[in-house]
Amino acid sequence: FDGFFHAAPTCVRAVQMAVDELKAAGHEVVPIQVDFYDVLLSYIGIMSAEGNMQGFIDGLEGEELLPMYSFLYRIASMPNLVRAPLAAVVRALGQPRMADLMISGRKKSVYDLWQVVASRNAARDKYIKRWQDMELDLVVCPALGLPALPHGMSSRLNQACSYTFLYNNFGFTAGTVPVTRVRPDEETYQSDFKDSLTSDARKALEGSAGLPVGVQVVGLPYHEELVLRGMREIERGVGFAAPMPQL
């Protein structure tokens, strides 16, 4: 659990399978507990700093924004003046994560942006020191908090990507490798948060049996060769085989 989005049971099982295979191959595996709720918010804050998704719009070079981004665009385009009172209402309605995302996603001045960057950098340095103190080579964790989403749900469940947001934010090296598939008894979702993200996650898992599930292998910056080695060890151990489509 990264502190923001609980991984689905099938994603947790995938990590355990990878861990078991690494142990079987002779590697030492130790647990590490993290809480990166604020780090995820800093990522959202940095990515949204220009306001109105202007960076995304400019990158499209005149193309229309995909409908999947409509919900995010509405949030990004919300005037700063109404964010705080609206976030207070949303929080009172039992949606703390959505309230925090509203505040973090506001348009920022240069000063405000660099304050967020400084906070992110401090968290990154603290995590790197902890990593080094524990003498870690790699971290294995969920790639996403859910399996592949039904068409149309990515606009409301992009926060399931929090596990990748984290290491993108820190500039770490990371790769993903498929491990297993969703079992019929894993089309369920539980979370300590009782909000719309949790209810949407439950809906997304309905009918997900058979979908492939992978894990994320993470290393410190510029340790690509070590990450690839870890991915190869897991790949060899689990022996996941994805059927190729008939041409």
Side-chain angles (χ1 to χ4, degrees):
F1 177 46
D2 64 359
F4 188 86
F5 196 97
H6 288 83
T10 187
C11 301
V12 175
R13 180 173 62 84
V15 171
Q16 187 59 55
M17 288 178 63
V19 165
D20 292 343
E21 294 301 335
L22 289 171
K23 287 181 177 178
H27 299 283
E28 180 184 2
V29 182
V30 297
I32 179 171
Q33 300 294 325
V34 299
D35 185 349
F36 286 124
Y37 190 100
D38 290 337
V39 174
L40 175 94
L41 294 180
S42 74
Y43 179 79
I44 299 299
I46 293 169
M47 293 294 291
S48 62
E50 77 274 30
N52 302 322
M53 291 182 69
Q54 195 60 52
F56 286 83
I57 301 298
D58 292 347
L60 290 173
E61 298 180 342
E63 293 185 23
E64 289 188 13
L65 192 69
L66 288 173
M68 296 303 119
Y69 288 94
S70 59
F71 178 73
L72 295 177
Y73 182 73
R74 288 197 299 271
I75 297 296
S77 303
M78 185 187 303
N80 283 355
L81 187 64
V82 304
R83 284 181 183 271
L86 183 58
V89 172
V90 170
R91 193 182 304 278
L93 293 174
Q95 306 272 347
R97 289 185 291 183
M98 294 302 295
D100 288 336
L101 288 169
M102 284 183 183
I103 297 299
S104 299
R106 71 187 186 281
K107 185 176 181 179
K108 298 170 184 63
S109 67
V110 173
Y111 175 81
D112 289 339
L113 170 60
W114 281 111
Q115 290 295 106
V116 177
V117 170
S119 174
R120 185 276 313 274
N121 290 349
R124 180 189 61 198
D125 293 345
K126 183 178 179 180
Y127 187 47
I128 288 176
K129 185 179 185 305
R130 183 182 178 192
W131 186 298
Q132 293 170 338
D133 289 344
M134 293 182 68
E135 298 183 342
L136 301 178
D137 294 315
L138 300 168
V139 164
V140 179
C141 63
L144 298 178
L146 299 169
L149 304 174
H151 290 298
M153 293 204 71
S154 60
S155 64
R156 303 190 65 85
L157 279 172
N158 69 317
Q159 291 81 10
C161 301
S162 60
Y163 294 88
T164 58
F165 288 170
L166 165 62
Y167 294 109
N168 283 335
N169 198 12
F170 281 172
F172 280 25
T173 305
T176 60
V177 58
V179 170
T180 186
R181 294 182 183 277
V182 182
R183 299 187 314 218
D185 63 337
E186 292 175 327
E187 295 183 0
T188 60
Y189 185 78
Q190 297 295 327
S191 173
D192 294 338
F193 296 102
K194 310 302 179 184
D195 57 14
S196 59
L197 290 176
T198 296
S199 60
D200 285 339
R202 289 197 183 103
K203 294 175 185 176
L205 278 161
E206 294 175 1
S208 62
L211 290 176
V213 181
V215 298
Q216 184 176 202
V217 182
V218 184
L220 291 174
Y222 312 114
H223 283 62
E224 285 84 356
E225 74 290 342
L226 196 57
V227 169
L228 289 170
R229 167 71 188 280
M231 293 171 63
R232 185 179 67 175
E233 290 283 282
I234 295 171
E235 188 174 52
R236 286 177 172 175
V238 299
F240 181 87
M244 298 298 291
Q246 296 294 322
L247 300 178

